[in-house]
């Protein structure tokens, strides 16, 4: 059970870190004054997509926590 918990935490950490790295990188790129309008729009779209990904992940973690606490209450 402990190994499964460690794997879960590792997977969640990766799922959070990956979009954060992407958001950070594209935000830094947007500071570059030499980007075209299309490039800026594309980078902003990526940031928006990755932010949505993090939001859904957060929602799922909250649901999982709720379900786990509900299961413990039933036991």
């Amino acid at each position: 059970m402990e190994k499964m918990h460690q794997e879960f935490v590792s997977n969640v950490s990766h799922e959070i870190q990956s979009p954060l790295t992407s958001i950070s990188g594209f935000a830094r790129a947007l500071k570059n004054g030499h980007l075209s309008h299309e490039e800026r729009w594309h980078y902003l779209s990526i940031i928006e997509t990755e932010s949505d990904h993090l939001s859904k992940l957060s929602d799922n973690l909250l649901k999982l926590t709720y379900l786990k606490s509900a299961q413990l209450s039933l036991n």
Side-chain angles (χ1 to χ4, degrees):
M1 189 68 152
E2 181 64 27
K3 184 178 179 186
M4 287 174 55
H5 178 74
Q6 289 174 350
E7 287 177 7
F8 175 76
V9 170
S10 178
N11 288 337
V12 168
S13 177
H14 175 75
E15 288 295 317
I16 291 171
Q17 191 59 44
S18 183
L20 284 175
T21 300
S22 183
I23 290 168
S24 178
F26 284 108
R28 276 193 303 277
L30 285 169
K31 291 180 180 178
N32 181 348
H34 304 291
L35 296 174
S36 70
H37 176 73
E38 290 79 19
E39 288 172 316
R40 286 183 180 280
W41 188 256
H42 178 66
Y43 292 173
L44 287 169
S45 295
I46 292 171
I47 290 171
E48 183 178 31
T49 298
E50 295 294 356
S51 297
D52 289 344
H53 181 139
L54 285 172
S55 180
K56 288 176 186 171
L57 180 60
S58 175
D59 287 344
N60 287 338
L61 286 171
L62 288 173
K63 288 175 188 173
L64 181 62
T65 301
Y66 171 77
L67 291 173
K68 188 172 182 179
S69 67
Q71 179 187 14
L72 291 175
S73 296
L74 291 175
N75 290 337

